[in-house]
DNA sequence: TGCCAGGGCGCCG
DNA sequence: CGGCGCCATGGC
């Protein structure tokens, strides 16, 4: 389990000055016990769209309306910039999934494979992706982000989300459902969202009106029911729903199937792959397989 | 130029 | 149910 090694008010490193708008002194936290945590893999595996690399081992971005940076200090140790002890315990520890035992999950995923051949494949995928953490992002932001992601590429997804935040967000935060609902489809279309404009607007309207209660989805233990609630939104199909439940609601049993996963399963599991067998951790296997296929085998 | 990007909808058989 | 054309945009 993660623990705080050091907390201080420190001067902002040179390469983070611009990101932190010229601030000079910020709360800085050094956190140990992070296990296999990899900053670069976690923020560069296509689950979060508002973080960017600022050097080899540091990513900076916005979540919950706060700008933070996360750096890899050494194996098992990370540094959090502009994060106090209180904020860490209240929010960022959970956001970064530092309260999950990924070593145990990794072992479970390998052990659960039905035969030696599949175990070998899963072992390779786990080793390739080891250090990835499934972030616990904000539900509404994740919903809109993965609607934007459909038939799109990551650089453009990031660009559209940045524009959405700049135009309709308060002080750099992700826009509220009310703000996007009020904006209207035409205005959203003007932001180069294309055919997704009406989908974004529909999602925002349903959330703003209470017709879709994201708090209820968060509290719901029945995965199929969660999936059904999200898919009432026009433009949310099986893939987007699974991504939103995985990255925005901590539903780690979600198993999003995209072109990369389809390729991976066809190539490595010709006799079939039963995601349900992996139960609560299917989504983490999915992320490892995605990373393995997309970034290692690619 | 055509193809693809972490898809989904509407329609068709 | 499964397949297929279409939907906007930008990078290659």
């Amino acid at each position: 389990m993660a623990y705080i090694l050091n907390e201080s008010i420190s001067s902002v490193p040179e390469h983070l000055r611009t990101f932190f708008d010229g601030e000079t002194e910020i709360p800085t936290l050094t956190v140990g016990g992070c296990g296999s945590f990899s900053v670069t893999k976690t923020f560069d595996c296509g689950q979060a769209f508002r973080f960017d690399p600022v050097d080899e081992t540091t990513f900076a971005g916005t979540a919950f309306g706060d700008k933070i940076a996360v750096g890899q200090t050494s194996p098992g140790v990370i540094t959090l910039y502009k994060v106090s002890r209180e904020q860490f315990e209240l929010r960022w520890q959970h956001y970064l999934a530092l309260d999950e035992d990924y070593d145990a999950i990794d072992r479970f995923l390998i052990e659960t494979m039905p035969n030696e051949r599949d175990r070998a494949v899963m072992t390779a995928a786990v080793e390739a992706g080891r250090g990835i953490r499934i972030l616990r992002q904000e539900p509404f932001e994740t919903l809109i982000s993965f609607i934007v992601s459909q038939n799109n590429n990551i650089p453009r997804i990031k660009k559209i989300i940045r524009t959405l935040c700049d135009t309709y967000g308060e002080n750099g935060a992700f826009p509220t459902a009310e703000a996007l609902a009020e904006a209207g489809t035409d205005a959203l279309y003007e932001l180069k969202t294309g055919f997704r404009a009406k989908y974004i607007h529909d999602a925002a309207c349903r959330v703003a009106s209470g017709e879709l209660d994201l708090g209820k989805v968060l509290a719901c233990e029945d995965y199929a029911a969660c999936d059904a609630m999200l898919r009432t939104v026009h433009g949310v199909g099986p893939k987007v729903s699974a991504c939103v439940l995985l990255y925005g609601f901590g539903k780690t049993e979600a198993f999003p199937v995209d072109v990369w996963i389809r390729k991976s399963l066809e190539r490595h599991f010709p006799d079939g792959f039963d995601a349900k067998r992996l139960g609560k951790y299917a989504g983490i296997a999915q992320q490892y397989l995605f990373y393995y296929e997309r970034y290692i085998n690619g």
Side-chain angles (χ1 to χ4, degrees):
Chain A
M1 196 62 81
Y3 50 89
I4 293 171
L5 285 169
N6 187 47
E7 60 175 323
S8 62
I9 305 293
S10 304
S11 62
V12 181
E14 192 60 43
H15 60 289
L16 288 173
R17 292 278 169 87
T18 310
F19 176 72
F20 284 120
D21 303 314
E23 284 191 74
T24 51
E25 304 266 297
I26 54 170
T28 305
L29 225 53
T30 311
V31 180
C34 298
S36 58
F37 192 103
S38 166
V39 170
T40 52
K41 286 183 190 175
T42 296
F43 286 102
D44 211 19
C45 70
Q47 61 173 320
F49 302 110
R50 296 198 70 195
F51 277 79
D52 294 301
V54 289
D55 68 22
E56 294 279 307
T57 56
T58 308
F59 275 72
T62 306
F64 301 96
D66 289 336
K67 296 179 84 166
I68 68 160
V70 186
Q72 188 93 42
T73 309
S74 60
V77 181
I78 62 174
T79 301
L80 300 177
Y81 299 93
K82 207 172 178 183
V83 172
S84 69
R85 172 185 289 272
E86 291 72 24
Q87 292 167 326
F88 175 73
E89 288 169 353
L90 197 68
R91 169 174 294 166
W92 302 111
Q93 183 170 12
H94 190 61
Y95 174 79
L96 297 168
L98 293 174
D99 47 7
E100 286 274 3
D101 185 352
Y102 268 72
D103 287 343
I105 294 170
D106 292 352
R107 287 193 297 273
F108 170 82
L109 294 177
I110 294 166
E111 283 167 9
T112 307
M113 290 291 102
N115 58 60
E116 202 54 50
R117 222 186 74 87
D118 290 359
R119 249 189 310 280
V121 174
M122 187 55 72
T123 300
V126 167
E127 284 174 6
R130 179 169 286 138
I132 294 176
R133 295 295 181 265
I134 304 293
L135 298 170
R136 296 170 183 276
Q137 304 182 70
E138 290 174 274
F140 181 68
E141 173 177 338
T142 310
L143 172 60
I144 300 301
S145 295
F146 279 90
I147 286 173
V148 171
S149 83
Q150 70 166 272
N151 203 25
N152 212 341
N153 57 67
I154 291 176
R156 201 165 82 95
I157 296 165
K158 294 175 85 162
K159 189 175 180 181
I160 290 172
I161 291 171
R162 194 179 314 130
T163 308
L164 277 173
C165 294
D166 290 345
T167 311
Y168 296 106
E170 292 283 333
N171 299 320
F174 195 86
T176 62
E178 289 74 13
L180 294 183
E182 194 182 337
T185 303
D186 291 348
L188 295 170
Y189 189 87
E190 294 296 309
L191 304 183
K192 307 295 183 188
T193 52
F195 61 86
R196 308 165 194 82
K198 55 184 179 293
Y199 300 158
I200 297 167
H201 188 246
D202 185 55
C205 288
R206 286 174 191 275
V207 172
S209 72
E211 193 177 335
L212 173 60
D213 184 346
L214 298 183
K216 188 175 165 188
V217 176
L218 195 61
C220 179
E221 297 288 336
D222 180 351
Y223 182 82
C226 295
D227 179 54
M229 283 189 271
L230 288 188
R231 286 171 64 176
T232 59
V233 177
H234 193 61
V236 175
K239 198 296 190 158
V240 168
S241 173
C243 283
V244 174
L245 290 172
L246 181 58
Y247 305 125
F249 289 84
K251 313 285 186 191
T252 49
E253 62 267 53
F255 194 86
V257 177
D258 66 355
V259 289
W260 294 101
I261 289 297
R262 211 176 297 281
K263 265 196 289 185
S264 173
L265 297 187
E266 279 169 13
R267 187 193 298 193
H268 299 298
F269 302 93
D271 301 329
F273 182 86
D274 182 14
K276 288 206 178 303
R277 190 187 184 89
L278 296 172
K280 198 185 163 193
Y281 299 111
I284 295 172
Q286 184 272 358
Q287 195 59 41
Y288 289 154
L289 289 167
F290 176 83
Y291 189 88
Y292 186 44
E293 189 70 21
R294 173 79 177 79
Y295 296 98
I296 309 294
N297 271 328

